[in-house]
């Protein structure tokens, strides 16, 4: 997404600068003649390109399309932030107290219930994400067939990672079964875990990114960046705790042997 957005935004800005400062042409030549004075653009010209300024320019242009106070956008932000917070808090509470397992009569049924709640929350998040995109302007530099097909490709790749992760882990493995004491016998190393860590999270991020690009939506791109950030925080928060659960399992097995 970064290269697509960066090139598109730069070319659009360059085109606007050239419209305001057309270069002279000479008779008998089809192409433009170089001018001794370069037309200004958002990044200071290719000869003086500063990538930090370019990134700032892109972000400024992106935010120019987005109304941060628009209700659908606010709802999408809240849904994106809330979902991982909810499942991590509930799962850790269950691991500490086992109250969900006691309330539902078994750890497996409790895990299925939490998994169902997470699925419903993710449907709500996707709905809020889509409504936020539809309520705000499209970006002209993304609204073309080539970029549209890039978005479709990202949707496909993300879907493959999400579905294959679910098939490799199963329902309880996907929806925090280890917090309920439902542990795998060994670490899953088959595809997609053989090519990517946390493929469920990154596949989901790719789906949101593809969905935003298909809609030529700067709002969707901004929300996708938030999705990726929240998932990175969740990974930092979850992985050490999950590793500790399996270390405890290994220690208990060693003592029994």
């Amino acid at each position: 997404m970064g290269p697509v957005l960066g090139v598109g935004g730069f070319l659009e800005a360059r085109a606007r600068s050239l419209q305001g400062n057309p270069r002279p042409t000479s008779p008998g030549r089809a192409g433009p003649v170089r001018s001794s004075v370069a037309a200004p653009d958002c990044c200071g010209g290719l000869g003086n390109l500063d990538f930090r300024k370019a990134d700032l320019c892109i972000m400024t242009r992106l935010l120019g399309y987005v109304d941060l106070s628009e209700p659908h956008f606010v709802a999408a932000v809240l849904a994106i932030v809330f979902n991982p917070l909810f499942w991590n808090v509930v799962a850790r509470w269950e691991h500490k107290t086992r109250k969900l397992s006691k309330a539902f009569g078994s750890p497996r049924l409790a895990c299925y219930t939490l998994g169902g709640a997470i699925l419903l929350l993710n449907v709500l998040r996707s709905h809020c994400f889509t409504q936020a995109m539809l309520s705000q302007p499209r970006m002209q530099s993304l609204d073309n067939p080539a970029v549209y097909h890039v978005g479709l490709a990202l949707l496909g790749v993300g879907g493959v990672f999400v579905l294959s992760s679910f098939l490799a882990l199963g329902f309880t493995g996907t929806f925090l079964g280890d917090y309920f004491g439902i542990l795998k016998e060994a670490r899953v190393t088959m595809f997609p875990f053989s090519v990517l860590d946390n493929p469920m999270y990154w596949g989901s991020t790719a789906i949101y990114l593809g969905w935003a690009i298909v809609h030529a939506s700067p709002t969707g791109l901004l929300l996708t960046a938030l999705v990726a950030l929240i998932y990175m925080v969740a990974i930092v928060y979850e992985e050490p705790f999950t590793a500790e659960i399996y270390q405890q399992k290994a220690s208990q097995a060693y003592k029994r042997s």
Side-chain angles (χ1 to χ4, degrees):
M1 190 285 298
V4 172
L5 178 58
V7 172
F10 175 79
L11 290 178
E12 185 175 328
R14 188 66 174 173
R16 288 203 307 271
S17 70
L18 289 174
Q19 289 170 1
N21 299 273
R23 294 176 177 176
T25 58
S26 60
R29 294 190 60 179
V33 176
R34 290 184 180 274
S35 169
S36 60
V37 179
D41 60 29
C42 69
C43 302
L46 286 174
N48 299 312
L49 185 60
D50 183 331
F51 286 100
R52 290 172 297 179
K53 292 181 181 178
D55 290 343
L56 180 61
C57 174
I58 292 167
M59 183 57 68
T60 301
R61 279 176 43 77
L62 193 63
L63 289 173
Y65 286 86
V66 182
D67 179 2
L68 301 180
S69 63
E70 198 276 325
H72 291 102
F73 181 84
V74 174
V77 168
L78 291 176
I80 289 168
V81 173
F82 176 77
N83 284 15
L85 177 64
F86 166 78
W87 70 61
N88 273 289
V89 169
V90 172
R92 288 205 178 199
W93 174 71
E94 162 63 16
H95 182 262
K96 182 178 181 180
T97 66
R98 299 301 184 201
K99 288 190 175 182
L100 280 178
S101 296
K102 293 174 183 176
F104 286 96
S106 75
R108 194 167 294 274
L109 182 57
C111 181
Y112 288 154
T113 303
L114 177 60
I118 292 171
L119 285 172
L120 291 175
L121 285 172
N122 285 344
V123 170
L124 176 62
R125 177 179 63 181
S126 297
H127 173 74
C128 292
F129 187 101
T130 301
Q131 291 303 308
M133 289 195 301
L134 295 178
S135 66
Q136 303 219 34
R138 295 166 68 93
M139 180 178 279
Q140 185 178 0
S141 58
L142 293 177
D143 200 1
N144 64 75
V147 177
Y148 179 84
H149 285 95
V150 170
L152 290 180
L154 285 168
L155 284 169
V157 170
V160 168
F161 278 124
V162 169
L163 181 59
S164 59
S165 297
F166 180 80
L167 294 176
L169 293 173
F171 191 94
T172 57
T174 299
F175 293 106
L176 304 164
D178 38 15
Y179 289 73
F180 291 81
I182 308 169
L183 304 180
K184 293 284 185 182
E185 291 299 323
R187 181 182 177 87
V188 176
T189 57
M190 63 187 296
F191 181 84
F193 295 90
S194 58
V195 299
L196 183 68
D197 289 332
N198 303 292
M200 180 70 75
Y201 282 166
W202 299 125
S204 176
T205 303
I207 289 173
Y208 281 117
L209 178 56
W211 195 230
I213 291 175
V214 163
H215 285 81
S217 172
T219 299
L221 296 176
L222 191 61
L223 290 173
T224 300
L226 180 61
V227 169
L229 176 62
I230 294 300
Y231 277 157
M232 286 190 286
V233 173
I235 289 168
V236 170
Y237 189 71
E238 291 170 4
E239 285 194 338
F241 194 77
T242 304
E244 182 181 344
I245 291 174
Y246 280 91
Q247 285 176 355
Q248 292 173 358
K249 175 191 175 184
S251 298
Q252 291 170 1
Y254 177 79
K255 289 178 182 178
R256 285 195 299 267
S257 62

